[in-house]
């Protein structure tokens, strides 16, 4: 839960501009506490950053705010937070539904173009409040999740965001457990207590965390300069730690699975709908396809400009959907109901696959691939393995000699609410470029 808005109409507490006169222990109501912090933030924001004593005065006010929060001891204050409709625009409040823990975050104004966010956590324990300054976490926390661990005390997942420069931001998850204090919980892969993803401002991406925090969807934008949709990997909690979610395939995968003749039907991927009519134009690079559901797809390719235009006309529509591709030769590899699988020119090991939803009129996901295979209502994807990431090499049935390359495989569940990619655990050998 996140609340953000101005509030200075509450009861005033006498204090100096730097908060030195505020008696934290006398604040027994949540509204009174928030009002005190709001006034100090107002004073902080009035400081002239070009003033010679700016850093000193800003530090004093930040220390005063921290002191107010760190000396809170009345559990009623957390319950009062639920009643607060308005907050100072510079203050963020996140809290669990059971009001057992809350985090207040604010911009200290000491970070320049990379805001330095300060946060204090208030945790209810044995009818008392324990406060903890979250040092070194320059994030404005917006959500708190409680994760029940089988063998130890519950874990708190703090979700927040921040800015690393004038053009880059990040979203982060931090895991803590409370046992005689708040300590980091090393539950993420590679024995980490946090995970972070970065993005360019204006192209925000975010973690998706299930209500019980048992699953975390981690977004990736394969082609950040194009609006071709996101793809998510999944972390699943096993009762002790998070692990990357995998998907087992009940048949062996090899180079033939992706590049062999059995993976194609009349030039389309096996499992694709086949056009009932194809009209070729004189230049041989443009044609019109008609499918059984009356969907028409016109492809126009200009080899000189290296541009492709796909026009999609659904049944009874008067205006086509137009998909332009600059610097790409785009080809329709498959169609399944409203889903189009468009392959773009690239290299034999790195070519974009785009999945487009005609009904939604949007790309739902994209991925770099060295081979694809339709599999039920998902797609199997092959990607090259970097030489320094091969580990135990798969056994090669065919001898490729010096041109041997190794590939890993994934399953892409493009019809999920969050298009998800999961490793199958299978690798195979093939030709390098």
């Amino acid at each position: 839960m996140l609340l953000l808005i101005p509030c200075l109409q509450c009861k005033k507490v006498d204090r100096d501009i730097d908060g030195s006169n505020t008696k934290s222990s006398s604040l027994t109501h949540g509204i009174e506490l928030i009002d005190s912090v709001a006034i100090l933030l107002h004073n902080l924001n009035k400081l002239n950053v070009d003033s010679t004593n700016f850093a000193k005065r800003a530090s004093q006010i930040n220390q005063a705010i921290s002191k107010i929060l760190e000396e809170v001891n009345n559990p009623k204050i957390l319950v009062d937070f639920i009643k607060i409709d308005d907050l100072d625009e510079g203050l963020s409040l996140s809290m669990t539904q059971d009001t057992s823990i809350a985090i207040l975050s604010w911009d200290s104004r000491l970070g320049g173009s990379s805001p330095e966010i300060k946060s204090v956590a208030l945790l209810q324990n044995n009818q008392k409040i324990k406060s903890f300054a979250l040092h070194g976490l320059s994030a404005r926390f917006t959500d708190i999740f409680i994760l029940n661990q089988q063998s130890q005390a519950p874990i708190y997942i703090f979700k927040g965001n921040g800015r690393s420069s004038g053009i880059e931001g990040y979203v982060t998850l931090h895991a803590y457990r409370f046992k005689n204090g708040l300590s980091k919980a090393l539950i993420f892969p590679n024995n980490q207590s946090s995970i972070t993803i970065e993005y360019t401002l204006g192209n925000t991406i975010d973690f998706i965390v299930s209500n019980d925090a048992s699953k975390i969807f981690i977004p990736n934008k394969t082609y950040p300069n194009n609006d071709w949709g996101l793809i998510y990997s999944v972390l699943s909690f096993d009762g002790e730690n998070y692990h990357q979610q995998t998907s087992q395939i009940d048949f062996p995968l090899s180079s033939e699975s992706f590049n062999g003749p059995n993976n194609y039907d009349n030039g389309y991927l096996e499992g694709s709908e086949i056009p009932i009519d194809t009209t070729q134009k004189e230049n041989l690079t443009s044609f019109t396809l008609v499918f059984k559901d009356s969907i028409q797809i016109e492809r126009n390719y200009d080899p000189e400009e290296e541009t492709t235009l796909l026009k999609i006309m659904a049944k009874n529509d008067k205006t086509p959907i137009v998909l332009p591709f600059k610097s790409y030769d785009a080809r329709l590899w498959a169609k399944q109901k409203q889903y189009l699988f468009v392959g773009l020119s690239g290299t034999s090991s790195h070519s974009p696959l785009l999945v487009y939803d005609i009904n939604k009129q949007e790309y739902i996901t994209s991925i770099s691939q060295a081979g694809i295979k339709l599999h039920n209502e998902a797609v199997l994807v092959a990607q090259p393995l970097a030489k320094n990431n091969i580990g135990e090499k798969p056994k090669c049935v065919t001898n490729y000699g010096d041109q041997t390359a190794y590939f890993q495989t994934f399953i892409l569940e493009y019809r999920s609410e969050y298009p998800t990619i999961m490793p199958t655990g299978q690798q195979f050998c093939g030709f390098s470029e």
Side-chain angles (χ1 to χ4, degrees), residues 90 119 378:
S119 298

Side-chain angles (χ1 to χ4, degrees), residues 138-332:
S138 186
R140 189 179 289 275
F141 290 99
T142 58
D143 297 278
I144 306 173
F145 302 89
I146 300 178
L147 184 64
N148 291 314
Q149 197 174 30
Q150 292 176 353
S151 62
Q152 300 186 53
I155 290 174
Y156 299 100
I157 306 290
F158 301 159
K159 178 184 173 187
N161 55 69
R163 207 171 72 203
S164 51
S165 71
I167 61 172
E168 294 177 322
Y170 58 86
V171 60
T172 185
L173 296 175
H174 291 266
Y176 285 87
R177 67 165 48 90
F178 178 75
K179 188 177 181 181
N180 301 321
L182 204 61
S183 59
K184 294 180 179 180
L186 306 178
I187 59 172
F188 291 114
N190 301 317
N191 207 34
Q192 299 296 306
S193 65
S194 65
I195 51 176
T196 300
I197 50 176
E198 297 180 342
Y199 56 82
T200 303
L201 297 180
N203 292 297
T204 305
I205 55 178
D206 199 359
F207 292 110
I208 307 296
V209 183
S210 62
N211 289 335
D212 61 357
S214 62
K215 289 186 184 295
I216 298 173
F217 294 82
I218 304 174
N220 177 45
K221 198 167 187 179
T222 310
Y223 301 98
N225 296 323
N226 295 283
D227 190 18
W228 291 341
L230 295 173
I231 194 166
Y232 293 83
S233 57
V234 185
L235 294 182
S236 295
F237 190 67
D238 66 1
E240 294 294 334
N241 296 287
Y242 282 105
H243 300 278
Q244 185 173 19
Q245 188 167 311
T246 61
S247 181
Q248 302 299 315
I249 305 299
D250 58 5
F251 56 88
L253 296 172
S254 66
S255 180
E256 284 290 304
S257 303
F258 297 93
N259 302 313
N262 291 334
N263 194 35
Y264 294 92
D265 181 6
N266 292 316
Y268 298 91
L269 290 170
E270 179 67 29
S272 170
E273 298 170 21
I274 305 300
I276 58 175
D277 183 66
T278 301
T279 303
Q280 189 82 45
K281 295 188 178 180
E282 292 181 359
N283 60 12
L284 302 180
T285 60
S286 301
F287 49 80
T288 300
L289 308 173
V290 180
F291 290 86
K292 191 174 180 179
D293 58 3
S294 300
I295 295 289
Q296 295 186 33
I297 301 175
E298 180 182 331
R299 175 186 184 268
N300 295 288
Y301 177 64
D302 185 336
E304 293 184 2
E305 297 292 332
E306 292 186 334
T307 59
T308 307
L309 204 64
L310 294 182
K311 294 183 179 180
I312 306 162
M313 183 72 78
K315 186 178 181 180
N316 300 324
D317 282 354
K318 295 182 180 180
T319 304
I321 301 168
V322 180
L323 305 179
F325 302 94
K326 295 181 179 180
S327 304
Y328 285 108
D329 181 1
R331 293 183 177 276
L332 181 67

Side-chain angles (χ1 to χ4, degrees), residues 3-13 15-19 22 27 29-46 61 64-66 68-69 81 84 86-92 104-107:
L3 303 171
L4 291 164
I5 333 175
C7 162
L8 293 172
Q9 77 275 21
C10 310
K11 178 183 175 183
K12 279 193 175 182
V13 178
R15 64 183 63 72
D16 294 336
I17 188 171
D18 62 0
T22 303
L27 300 177
H29 299 285
I31 294 176
E32 184 181 15
L33 181 144
I34 293 297
D35 182 45
S36 297
V37 172
I39 293 174
L40 288 173
L41 283 174
H42 180 70
N43 294 338
L44 177 64
N45 291 328
K46 285 198 305 183
I61 295 177
I65 295 172
S66 295
I68 288 175
L69 298 177
F81 283 166
I84 297 174
D86 298 329
L87 288 178
D88 183 273
E89 61 183 8
L91 184 65
S92 300
L104 292 104
S105 305
W106 69 96
D107 185 354

